[in-house]
Amino acid sequence: MPQVSFEVAGRPYTVGCRAGEEPHLRALADRLNSLSSAADRASGGLGPERTLLYIALMLADQLSDMEHAPSTGVPAPLLDRLAERLEAIASALEEEPASA
């Protein structure tokens, strides 16, 4: 199983994925990182776990906005798959031991 290493909110992670999904996983990590500065400020600098929580809340808020917005033609099953993938990534990030 391929593994992808990246940083989110200044913490290193290595996550396994299916072959060929490495670029997609890196793109998702980049998206998480794009929210990390704002999330860190919102969390008051109370640590990386709190920052990750705020990143998750920001993404959930974006998803909620999309769900309540007028239909854009994006099929609901696609949105459900996206939510499942985000939850899987969040779980993998939570399970990764902190590096010393």
Side-chain angles (χ1 to χ4, degrees), residues 24 28 31 59 62-63 66-67 74-89:
H24 180 66
L28 291 174
R31 182 165 186 185
L59 289 171
Q62 290 174 6
L63 180 60
M66 287 183 354
E67 289 173 343
V74 178
L78 178 60
L79 292 175
D80 290 342
R81 272 196 3 229
L82 175 62
E84 289 170 8
R85 291 179 105 177
L86 288 172
E87 288 172 5
I89 290 169

Side-chain angles (χ1 to χ4, degrees), residues 8-49:
V8 174
R11 290 189 64 182
Y13 297 95
T14 300
V15 179
C17 64
R18 288 180 270 192
E21 289 189 346
E22 299 92 342
H24 180 66
L25 191 54
R26 283 188 189 96
L28 291 174
D30 289 344
R31 182 165 186 185
L32 294 175
N33 257 330
S34 74
L35 299 171
S36 66
S37 291
D40 187 52
R41 285 190 305 275
S43 72
L46 293 176
E49 290 81 14

